Amino acid sequence: MTVPLTLLGLLEREPSHGYDLKRDYDAYFGRGKPLSFGQVYSTLSRLARDGKVVISEVGPGEGPDRKRYIITDAGATEVDTWLTEPVEPEPHLQTTLFAKVTLALMLGRPAEAYLDTQRAAHLRRMRELTEIKRTGGLVDALLADHGLFHLEADLRWIELTAARLDALAKEVRR
């Protein structure tokens, strides 16, 4: 899962303070692995350095000043590119797949089209692994089976999620 792109996606939804970004990240994407405040602020610093976010206002806080971050056009372009490119089909994609679908819905993007693109990428990879099974030895066949089983599980998840997009959209949109 890519933290910088996920934070950018959350900022595209609405300008936010680092604390709010951490809260939203942890609520939607950090289950079992929440972000530390240090990671949030160091990531925001790098994004600002790279011109992907700007600070819109600075106000007093209980500790350091509270900075409100806004995504730039360059940051929004990067999020758009990331959301439209399929993830390289491999086992254990669920975290990234879920983040992309959820952010697409939060941002009013075509999550169903993303799932269709991802489904096609998975099917291509499954055909490649099936060919490896057919032409390779036992070790290759076992490795290919491992990959195929994970990809099949991902495809089941993609189908289930596609069927539940309206309900998920209601939960994640404010």
Side-chain angles (χ1 to χ4, degrees):
M1 169 104 143
T2 175
V3 172
L5 286 164
T6 304
L7 292 179
L8 280 174
L10 291 171
L11 282 170
E12 185 173 327
R13 183 180 61 160
E14 64 184 340
S16 299
H17 296 95
Y19 174 84
D20 298 321
L21 288 170
K22 178 188 173 1
R23 181 199 63 221
D24 290 349
Y25 182 97
D26 289 349
Y28 291 107
F29 312 111
R31 295 192 177 149
K33 192 175 180 187
L35 290 179
S36 69
F37 281 105
Q39 184 176 8
V40 170
Y41 290 108
S42 64
T43 300
L44 288 169
S45 291
R46 285 190 303 279
L47 292 170
R49 176 199 69 205
D50 296 342
K52 296 173 185 167
V53 300
V54 294
I55 298 169
S56 68
E57 61 188 53
V58 178
E62 294 198 14
D65 288 341
R66 288 178 43 103
K67 298 174 184 173
R68 189 166 182 232
Y69 295 87
I70 296 177
I71 193 168
T72 64
D73 289 342
T77 297
E78 189 164 334
V79 170
D80 190 52
T81 300
W82 181 64
L83 288 175
T84 57
E85 292 176 347
V87 174
E88 185 64 34
E90 60 184 61
H92 312 294
L93 291 176
Q94 292 81 354
T95 303
T96 303
L97 283 173
F98 177 77
K100 284 183 148 190
V101 169
T102 302
L103 279 171
L105 291 170
M106 286 178 171
L107 300 173
R109 303 277 176 73
E112 188 170 11
Y114 167 70
L115 289 172
D116 289 342
T117 301
Q118 192 62 55
R119 183 183 302 106
H122 271 59
L123 292 171
R124 274 192 305 275
R125 182 65 178 141
M126 290 175 83
R127 284 190 292 276
E128 293 167 7
L129 291 173
T130 300
E131 182 62 17
I132 290 170
K133 271 181 59 166
R134 191 180 70 71
T135 60
L138 178 60
V139 171
D140 290 334
L142 289 172
L143 288 170
D145 279 337
H146 182 266
L148 284 165
F149 296 147
H150 284 280
L151 292 169
E152 287 172 359
D154 286 343
L155 283 174
R156 286 193 307 270
W157 183 87
I158 288 169
E159 296 305 320
L160 178 66
T161 301
R164 295 180 174 173
L165 280 178
D166 290 339
L168 181 59
K170 288 176 186 173
E171 279 198 36
V172 301
R173 287 189 184 145
R174 293 183 190 195

